[in-house]
């Protein structure tokens, strides 16, 4: 552009012409800033934005015909690196103006106590104006559309608080929380969704879990959410959730679906924030009732597909049931029935995509959380849940394998109460009537046939692929068999029906060996895993005071529990001479013996009895018991 005069620059560089719009009120550092044009050149120069006067710009020497070739070569060319083809194309003055724009944007995003006050004032004015316009022109949306846009913008500006949640206390001090709560019930659902989005951003873990400041910031968010709860935010939020129409195939329907997603995200955020607040939210919103209805509804194109919000609802159910015992107790009988109905849909088909697969896994996790309690096991039996598991295991679909997780939870004893003597933990006497009834029901329904089919990986190519995709199936199958042996009294027909799978009988002269071989194979596999973990741990350096516990935990991670479950099965089947001889032969081939099995079972029993993990590991050095005494304590 050559030497450009300052007067020409003033006429040329106009901010409003550059952006073709009027500068609006976006600064947080001013209450209400009037629309302004470009700053003067003097202001830019004094602000240090790269502006210099024409006298300060060195004149560029013109090339003349008298220059020597050497002088010409020394002169920079526009085509060289750094010239006009490689530069940004802006002059010094133009760069100064752009620096000023960037600075103003930085000012807009800065927060302090006064800036938050102005944000609140802006919100209150927008709410007041919109309310007045709607009252004066109830049947003429054109009259209040502008004020609604201003209200939307005011809410969007509050999102800046997610960067400095410590200033949330200002919202509480200025009594802005009741205003936000009232907007959730706004006639325009988009305004309500703005408030929900704001709550989501402010409660997100990224907003309050910062290194070195998480305690203070978490407290600020907790106080803010508590204030929301006191102003019946969750009650209003529940009402808003039920007015959203996800079914509509329109832009409004898409916005409503997004609103449902944001609402569920808020609940998930609260789980990370505080358990007590979650319980308040669930109760105030009556969320469990809505969730158990939503997980059965799909707004996908076909009835067998799962839409994203349906899957998310199932995930929230699973998360809530894992959060606290009280939330599990709040789950009604209808929830268990609903979950079983959702599970039954996969008797004859496999999930069509990843969304449906995750949905099925969340349904199964939720059922597992419910049946972990004695009341849940009782309800599961009443609703014929065991029968459903057998039906699922008959089919060659993925639910066949995943159902073992539920069976494992059903057969496992419920957690002991704090008043129960821990020394009684391993005893058969502590197994509840519900777990025994579930074991009997499963055996009576011919479940053993399908359980051992899963253990042996019987089936065609598709079944083998399922097993490879779900390697934890072997662990689940072993757990279930070990529980069935313990939950049935020795010498009874039920116990014999389980044990018969491992011992020769007139009706089965060969397959029992395959079952014994499979258990021995898994025992050897997991023994090697645990041994390798021990070697790796002993090779590394650890602090002396934590070595014992950490070493035990590393063994658990490697598969110690599954090894112990196979040990339990071996201990039971070794009561029969033919099976004992066969399993011992298989173990001896890899350098193991029944003495190793009994030593591992002794450690298992002592661990269950011990008050602390360290005491358990210390006591595991005791001499192994004989086989019969070990079985009495399993």
């Amino acid at each position: 552009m050559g030497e450009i005069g300052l007067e020409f620059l003033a006429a040329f560089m106009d901010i409003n012409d550059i952006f073709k719009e009027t500068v609006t009120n976006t600064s947080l550092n001013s209450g209400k800033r009037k629309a302004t044009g470009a700053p003067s050149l003097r202001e830019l120069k004094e602000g240090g934005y790269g502006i210099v006067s024409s006298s300060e710009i060195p004149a560029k020497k013109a090339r003349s015909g008298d220059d020597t070739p050497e002088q010409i070569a020394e002169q920079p060319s526009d085509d060289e690196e750094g010239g006009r083809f490689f530069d940004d194309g802006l002059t010094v003055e133009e760069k100064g103006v752009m620096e000023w724009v960037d600075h103003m944007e930085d000012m807009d995003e800065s927060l302090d106590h006064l800036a938050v006050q102005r944000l609140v004032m802006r919100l209150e004015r927008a709410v007041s104006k919109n309310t007045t316009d709607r009252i004066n022109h109830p049947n003429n949306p054109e009259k209040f559309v502008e004020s609604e846009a201003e209200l939307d913008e005011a809410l969007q500006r509050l999102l800046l608080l997610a960067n400095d949640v410590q200033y949330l206390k200002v919202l509480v001090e200025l009594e802005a929380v009741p205003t936000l709560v009232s907007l959730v019930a706004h006639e325009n659902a988009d305004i309500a969704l703005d408030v929900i989005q704001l709550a989501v951003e402010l409660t997100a873990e990224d907003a309050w879990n910062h290194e070195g400041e998480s305690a203070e910031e978490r407290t600020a968010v907790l106080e803010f959410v508590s204030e929301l709860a006191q102003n019946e935010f969750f009650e209003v939020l529940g009402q808003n959730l039920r007015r959203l129409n996800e079914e509509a195939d329109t832009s409004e329907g898409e916005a409503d679906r997004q609103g449902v997603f944001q609402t569920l995200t808020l609940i998930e955020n609260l789980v990370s924030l505080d358990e007590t607040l979650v319980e308040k939210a669930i109760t105030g919103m009556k969320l469990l009732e809505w969730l158990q209805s939503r997980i059965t509804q799909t707004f996908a194109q076909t009835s067998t597909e799962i839409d994203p919000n349906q899957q998310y609802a199932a995930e929230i159910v699973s998360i809530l049931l894992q959060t606290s015992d009280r939330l599990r107790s709040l789950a009604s009988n209808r929830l268990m029935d609903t979950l079983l109905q959702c599970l039954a849909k996969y008797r004859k088909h496999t999930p069509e995509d990843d969304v449906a697969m995750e949905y099925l896994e969340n349904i199964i996790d939720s059922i597992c959380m419910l049946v972990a309690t004695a009341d849940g096991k009782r309800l599961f039996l009443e609703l014929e849940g065991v029968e459903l598991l057998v039906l699922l295991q008959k089919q060659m679909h993925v639910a066949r394998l995943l159902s073992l997780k539920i069976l494992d939870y059903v057969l496992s004893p419920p957690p002991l109460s704090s008043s129960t003597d821990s020394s009684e933990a391993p005893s058969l006497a502590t197994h509840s009537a519900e777990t025994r009834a579930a074991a009997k029901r499963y055996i009576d329904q011919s479940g053993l046939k399908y359980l051992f089919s899963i253990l042996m990986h019987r089936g065609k190519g598709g079944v083998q692929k399922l097993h490879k995709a779900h390697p934890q199936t072997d662990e689940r199958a072993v757990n279930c068999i070990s529980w069935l042996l313990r939950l049935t009294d020795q010498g009874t027909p039920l116990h014999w029906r389980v044990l018969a799978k491992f011992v020769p009988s007139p009706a089965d002269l060969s397959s029992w060996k395959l079952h014994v071989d499979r258990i021995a194979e898994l025992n050897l596999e997991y023994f090697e895993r645990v041994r390798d973990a021990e070697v790796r741990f002993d090779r590394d350096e650890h602090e002396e005071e934590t070595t014992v516990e950490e070493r035990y935990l590393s063994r658990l991670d490697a598969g110690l529990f599954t090894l112990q479950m196979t040990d339990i099965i071996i201990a039971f089947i070794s009561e029969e001479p033919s099976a004992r001889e066969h399993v011992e032969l298989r173990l001896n081939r890899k350098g193991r013996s029944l003495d190793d099995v009994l030593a591992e079972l002794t450690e298992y029993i002592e661990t269950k009895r011990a008050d602390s993990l360290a005491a358990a590991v210390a006591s595991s050095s005791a001499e192994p018991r004989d086989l019969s005494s070990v079985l009495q304590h399993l």
Side-chain angles (χ1 to χ4, degrees), residues 325-351:
D325 294 336
R326 184 171 182 273
L327 287 177
R328 280 196 294 272
S329 66
L330 290 175
S332 61
N333 295 356
R334 183 185 167 195
L335 179 58
M336 174 72 85
D337 190 24
T338 300
L339 291 170
L340 292 177
Q341 291 179 31
C342 294
L343 177 61
K345 294 188 300 184
Y346 293 95
R347 280 179 51 198
K348 297 184 178 180
H349 75 275
T350 297

mmCIF file of all heavy atoms in Angstrom, residues 325-351:
data_model
loop_
_atom_site.group_PDB
_atom_site.id
_atom_site.type_symbol
_atom_site.label_atom_id
_atom_site.label_comp_id
_atom_site.label_asym_id
_atom_site.label_seq_id
_atom_site.Cartn_x
_atom_site.Cartn_y
_atom_site.Cartn_z
ATOM 1 N N ASP A 325 -27.616 -47.133 48.527
ATOM 2 C CA ASP A 325 -28.615 -48.128 48.927
ATOM 3 C C ASP A 325 -30.006 -47.520 48.970
ATOM 4 O O ASP A 325 -30.994 -48.191 48.659
ATOM 5 C CB ASP A 325 -28.259 -48.691 50.312
ATOM 6 C CG ASP A 325 -26.963 -49.480 50.284
ATOM 7 O OD1 ASP A 325 -26.593 -49.972 49.198
ATOM 8 O OD2 ASP A 325 -26.320 -49.599 51.348
ATOM 9 N N ARG A 326 -30.080 -46.255 49.348
ATOM 10 C CA ARG A 326 -31.396 -45.613 49.457
ATOM 11 C C ARG A 326 -32.058 -45.491 48.093
ATOM 12 O O ARG A 326 -33.270 -45.692 47.958
ATOM 13 C CB ARG A 326 -31.251 -44.228 50.088
ATOM 14 C CG ARG A 326 -32.590 -43.549 50.329
ATOM 15 C CD ARG A 326 -32.439 -42.270 51.146
ATOM 16 N NE ARG A 326 -33.732 -41.669 51.402
ATOM 17 C CZ ARG A 326 -34.332 -40.819 50.584
ATOM 18 N NH1 ARG A 326 -33.734 -40.473 49.438
ATOM 19 N NH2 ARG A 326 -35.508 -40.303 50.859
ATOM 20 N N LEU A 327 -31.277 -45.172 47.065
ATOM 21 C CA LEU A 327 -31.854 -45.088 45.724
ATOM 22 C C LEU A 327 -32.334 -46.453 45.249
ATOM 23 O O LEU A 327 -33.353 -46.546 44.557
ATOM 24 C CB LEU A 327 -30.825 -44.517 44.749
ATOM 25 C CG LEU A 327 -30.534 -43.024 44.879
ATOM 26 C CD1 LEU A 327 -29.445 -42.613 43.898
ATOM 27 C CD2 LEU A 327 -31.792 -42.204 44.640
ATOM 28 N N ARG A 328 -31.622 -47.496 45.626
ATOM 29 C CA ARG A 328 -32.091 -48.838 45.266
ATOM 30 C C ARG A 328 -33.403 -49.154 45.966
ATOM 31 O O ARG A 328 -34.280 -49.806 45.409
ATOM 32 C CB ARG A 328 -31.026 -49.876 45.622
ATOM 33 C CG ARG A 328 -29.913 -49.961 44.611
ATOM 34 C CD ARG A 328 -29.108 -51.232 44.771
ATOM 35 N NE ARG A 328 -28.387 -51.266 46.030
ATOM 36 C CZ ARG A 328 -27.172 -50.762 46.186
ATOM 37 N NH1 ARG A 328 -26.550 -50.183 45.164
ATOM 38 N NH2 ARG A 328 -26.567 -50.829 47.342
ATOM 39 N N SER A 329 -33.524 -48.701 47.208
ATOM 40 C CA SER A 329 -34.768 -48.956 47.929
ATOM 41 C C SER A 329 -35.931 -48.149 47.357
ATOM 42 O O SER A 329 -37.088 -48.558 47.471
ATOM 43 C CB SER A 329 -34.584 -48.630 49.420
ATOM 44 O OG SER A 329 -34.365 -47.238 49.607
ATOM 45 N N LEU A 330 -35.612 -47.006 46.753
ATOM 46 C CA LEU A 330 -36.671 -46.195 46.137
ATOM 47 C C LEU A 330 -37.222 -46.850 44.873
ATOM 48 O O LEU A 330 -38.326 -46.531 44.440
ATOM 49 C CB LEU A 330 -36.127 -44.803 45.798
ATOM 50 C CG LEU A 330 -35.823 -43.862 46.972
ATOM 51 C CD1 LEU A 330 -35.191 -42.582 46.465
ATOM 52 C CD2 LEU A 330 -37.089 -43.565 47.755
ATOM 53 N N ALA A 331 -36.427 -47.747 44.278
ATOM 54 C CA ALA A 331 -36.877 -48.420 43.063
ATOM 55 C C ALA A 331 -38.069 -49.304 43.403
ATOM 56 O O ALA A 331 -38.013 -50.164 44.271
ATOM 57 C CB ALA A 331 -35.743 -49.254 42.470
ATOM 58 N N SER A 332 -39.145 -49.095 42.702
ATOM 59 C CA SER A 332 -40.382 -49.819 42.990
ATOM 60 C C SER A 332 -40.365 -51.197 42.347
ATOM 61 O O SER A 332 -39.484 -51.539 41.562
ATOM 62 C CB SER A 332 -41.582 -49.024 42.477
ATOM 63 O OG SER A 332 -41.486 -48.868 41.073
ATOM 64 N N ASN A 333 -41.370 -51.990 42.699
ATOM 65 C CA ASN A 333 -41.517 -53.309 42.073
ATOM 66 C C ASN A 333 -41.662 -53.180 40.567
ATOM 67 O O ASN A 333 -41.220 -54.040 39.801
ATOM 68 C CB ASN A 333 -42.737 -54.024 42.650
ATOM 69 C CG ASN A 333 -42.562 -54.335 44.123
ATOM 70 O OD1 ASN A 333 -41.504 -54.074 44.689
ATOM 71 N ND2 ASN A 333 -43.586 -54.904 44.733
ATOM 72 N N ARG A 334 -42.288 -52.089 40.145
ATOM 73 C CA ARG A 334 -42.526 -51.897 38.720
ATOM 74 C C ARG A 334 -41.215 -51.749 37.955
ATOM 75 O O ARG A 334 -41.113 -52.164 36.806
ATOM 76 C CB ARG A 334 -43.401 -50.663 38.504
ATOM 77 C CG ARG A 334 -43.761 -50.430 37.050
ATOM 78 C CD ARG A 334 -44.525 -49.138 36.881
ATOM 79 N NE ARG A 334 -44.593 -48.760 35.469
ATOM 80 C CZ ARG A 334 -44.945 -47.558 35.049
ATOM 81 N NH1 ARG A 334 -45.265 -46.608 35.917
ATOM 82 N NH2 ARG A 334 -44.994 -47.284 33.772
ATOM 83 N N LEU A 335 -40.192 -51.172 38.595
ATOM 84 C CA LEU A 335 -38.918 -50.992 37.919
ATOM 85 C C LEU A 335 -38.274 -52.337 37.603
ATOM 86 O O LEU A 335 -37.763 -52.545 36.502
ATOM 87 C CB LEU A 335 -37.974 -50.137 38.760
ATOM 88 C CG LEU A 335 -36.578 -49.898 38.162
ATOM 89 C CD1 LEU A 335 -36.688 -49.247 36.796
ATOM 90 C CD2 LEU A 335 -35.721 -49.058 39.095
ATOM 91 N N MET A 336 -38.290 -53.254 38.553
ATOM 92 C CA MET A 336 -37.750 -54.582 38.290
ATOM 93 C C MET A 336 -38.509 -55.250 37.154
ATOM 94 O O MET A 336 -37.914 -55.849 36.251
ATOM 95 C CB MET A 336 -37.826 -55.442 39.553
ATOM 96 C CG MET A 336 -37.410 -56.898 39.341
ATOM 97 S SD MET A 336 -35.637 -57.115 39.079
ATOM 98 C CE MET A 336 -35.105 -57.170 40.804
ATOM 99 N N ASP A 337 -39.831 -55.151 37.200
ATOM 100 C CA ASP A 337 -40.648 -55.750 36.145
ATOM 101 C C ASP A 337 -40.333 -55.118 34.791
ATOM 102 O O ASP A 337 -40.212 -55.815 33.773
ATOM 103 C CB ASP A 337 -42.129 -55.569 36.496
ATOM 104 C CG ASP A 337 -43.042 -56.365 35.570
ATOM 105 O OD1 ASP A 337 -42.573 -57.361 34.984
ATOM 106 O OD2 ASP A 337 -44.215 -56.000 35.425
ATOM 107 N N THR A 338 -40.167 -53.796 34.776
ATOM 108 C CA THR A 338 -39.853 -53.091 33.525
ATOM 109 C C THR A 338 -38.497 -53.529 32.981
ATOM 110 O O THR A 338 -38.349 -53.761 31.775
ATOM 111 C CB THR A 338 -39.854 -51.574 33.764
ATOM 112 O OG1 THR A 338 -41.140 -51.168 34.231
ATOM 113 C CG2 THR A 338 -39.527 -50.819 32.486
ATOM 114 N N LEU A 339 -37.519 -53.662 33.849
ATOM 115 C CA LEU A 339 -36.183 -54.075 33.408
ATOM 116 C C LEU A 339 -36.208 -55.491 32.822
ATOM 117 O O LEU A 339 -35.557 -55.762 31.809
ATOM 118 C CB LEU A 339 -35.205 -54.008 34.578
ATOM 119 C CG LEU A 339 -34.860 -52.609 35.089
ATOM 120 C CD1 LEU A 339 -34.077 -52.690 36.396
ATOM 121 C CD2 LEU A 339 -34.083 -51.819 34.055
ATOM 122 N N LEU A 340 -36.962 -56.369 33.443
ATOM 123 C CA LEU A 340 -37.060 -57.735 32.923
ATOM 124 C C LEU A 340 -37.758 -57.757 31.568
ATOM 125 O O LEU A 340 -37.395 -58.540 30.675
ATOM 126 C CB LEU A 340 -37.802 -58.624 33.921
ATOM 127 C CG LEU A 340 -37.058 -58.899 35.240
ATOM 128 C CD1 LEU A 340 -37.924 -59.731 36.182
ATOM 129 C CD2 LEU A 340 -35.735 -59.601 34.981
ATOM 130 N N GLN A 341 -38.745 -56.898 31.385
ATOM 131 C CA GLN A 341 -39.410 -56.808 30.081
ATOM 132 C C GLN A 341 -38.443 -56.307 29.012
ATOM 133 O O GLN A 341 -38.450 -56.799 27.880
ATOM 134 C CB GLN A 341 -40.617 -55.878 30.180
ATOM 135 C CG GLN A 341 -41.767 -56.421 31.010
ATOM 136 C CD GLN A 341 -42.924 -55.445 31.089
ATOM 137 O OE1 GLN A 341 -43.164 -54.675 30.172
ATOM 138 N NE2 GLN A 341 -43.644 -55.467 32.194
ATOM 139 N N CYS A 342 -37.625 -55.327 29.365
ATOM 140 C CA CYS A 342 -36.634 -54.821 28.412
ATOM 141 C C CYS A 342 -35.618 -55.904 28.057
ATOM 142 O O CYS A 342 -35.194 -56.026 26.900
ATOM 143 C CB CYS A 342 -35.916 -53.612 29.003
ATOM 144 S SG CYS A 342 -36.972 -52.158 29.253
ATOM 145 N N LEU A 343 -35.235 -56.701 29.045
ATOM 146 C CA LEU A 343 -34.274 -57.779 28.803
ATOM 147 C C LEU A 343 -34.878 -58.869 27.930
ATOM 148 O O LEU A 343 -34.197 -59.444 27.070
ATOM 149 C CB LEU A 343 -33.813 -58.359 30.142
ATOM 150 C CG LEU A 343 -32.850 -59.550 30.089
ATOM 151 C CD1 LEU A 343 -31.549 -59.153 29.391
ATOM 152 C CD2 LEU A 343 -32.564 -60.059 31.500
ATOM 153 N N ALA A 344 -36.163 -59.154 28.135
ATOM 154 C CA ALA A 344 -36.823 -60.244 27.398
ATOM 155 C C ALA A 344 -36.854 -59.987 25.897
ATOM 156 O O ALA A 344 -36.961 -60.931 25.107
ATOM 157 C CB ALA A 344 -38.241 -60.441 27.933
ATOM 158 N N LYS A 345 -36.747 -58.732 25.478
ATOM 159 C CA LYS A 345 -36.780 -58.425 24.042
ATOM 160 C C LYS A 345 -35.603 -59.033 23.297
ATOM 161 O O LYS A 345 -35.662 -59.195 22.077
ATOM 162 C CB LYS A 345 -36.773 -56.906 23.833
ATOM 163 C CG LYS A 345 -38.022 -56.197 24.342
ATOM 164 C CD LYS A 345 -38.045 -54.740 23.924
ATOM 165 C CE LYS A 345 -36.856 -53.983 24.444
ATOM 166 N NZ LYS A 345 -36.916 -52.537 24.113
ATOM 167 N N TYR A 346 -34.546 -59.378 24.019
ATOM 168 C CA TYR A 346 -33.338 -59.889 23.365
ATOM 169 C C TYR A 346 -33.236 -61.416 23.445
ATOM 170 O O TYR A 346 -32.162 -61.975 23.281
ATOM 171 C CB TYR A 346 -32.107 -59.225 23.989
ATOM 172 C CG TYR A 346 -32.064 -57.752 23.690
ATOM 173 C CD1 TYR A 346 -32.578 -56.825 24.587
ATOM 174 C CD2 TYR A 346 -31.569 -57.292 22.477
ATOM 175 C CE1 TYR A 346 -32.578 -55.466 24.297
ATOM 176 C CE2 TYR A 346 -31.561 -55.930 22.182
ATOM 177 C CZ TYR A 346 -32.067 -55.030 23.102
ATOM 178 O OH TYR A 346 -32.070 -53.684 22.796
ATOM 179 N N ARG A 347 -34.371 -62.068 23.667
ATOM 180 C CA ARG A 347 -34.378 -63.532 23.654
ATOM 181 C C ARG A 347 -34.032 -64.072 22.277
ATOM 182 O O ARG A 347 -33.322 -65.056 22.143
ATOM 183 C CB ARG A 347 -35.761 -64.050 24.060
ATOM 184 C CG ARG A 347 -36.040 -64.054 25.549
ATOM 185 C CD ARG A 347 -37.442 -64.556 25.798
ATOM 186 N NE ARG A 347 -37.678 -65.829 25.104
ATOM 187 C CZ ARG A 347 -38.891 -66.318 24.853
ATOM 188 N NH1 ARG A 347 -39.968 -65.632 25.202
ATOM 189 N NH2 ARG A 347 -39.015 -67.482 24.244
ATOM 190 N N LYS A 348 -34.531 -63.412 21.243
ATOM 191 C CA LYS A 348 -34.427 -63.987 19.904
ATOM 192 C C LYS A 348 -33.680 -63.106 18.919
ATOM 193 O O LYS A 348 -33.704 -63.371 17.724
ATOM 194 C CB LYS A 348 -35.827 -64.290 19.359
ATOM 195 C CG LYS A 348 -36.576 -65.337 20.174
ATOM 196 C CD LYS A 348 -37.914 -65.686 19.551
ATOM 197 C CE LYS A 348 -38.617 -66.772 20.354
ATOM 198 N NZ LYS A 348 -39.940 -67.134 19.762
ATOM 199 N N HIS A 349 -33.065 -62.058 19.370
ATOM 200 C CA HIS A 349 -32.249 -61.257 18.456
ATOM 201 C C HIS A 349 -31.124 -60.553 19.207
ATOM 202 O O HIS A 349 -31.208 -60.341 20.415
ATOM 203 C CB HIS A 349 -33.099 -60.244 17.684
ATOM 204 C CG HIS A 349 -33.524 -59.057 18.508
ATOM 205 N ND1 HIS A 349 -34.630 -59.060 19.311
ATOM 206 C CD2 HIS A 349 -32.980 -57.813 18.630
ATOM 207 C CE1 HIS A 349 -34.765 -57.885 19.896
ATOM 208 N NE2 HIS A 349 -33.782 -57.114 19.513
ATOM 209 N N THR A 350 -30.109 -60.217 18.463
ATOM 210 C CA THR A 350 -28.929 -59.538 19.000
ATOM 211 C C THR A 350 -29.060 -58.041 18.765
ATOM 212 O O THR A 350 -29.645 -57.623 17.766
ATOM 213 C CB THR A 350 -27.656 -60.067 18.303
ATOM 214 O OG1 THR A 350 -27.514 -61.463 18.595
ATOM 215 C CG2 THR A 350 -26.412 -59.338 18.771
ATOM 216 N N PRO A 351 -28.568 -57.196 19.661
ATOM 217 C CA PRO A 351 -28.609 -55.744 19.439
ATOM 218 C C PRO A 351 -28.072 -55.368 18.069
ATOM 219 O O PRO A 351 -27.058 -55.905 17.614
ATOM 220 C CB PRO A 351 -27.725 -55.196 20.566
ATOM 221 C CG PRO A 351 -27.842 -56.212 21.646
ATOM 222 C CD PRO A 351 -27.970 -57.536 20.961
#
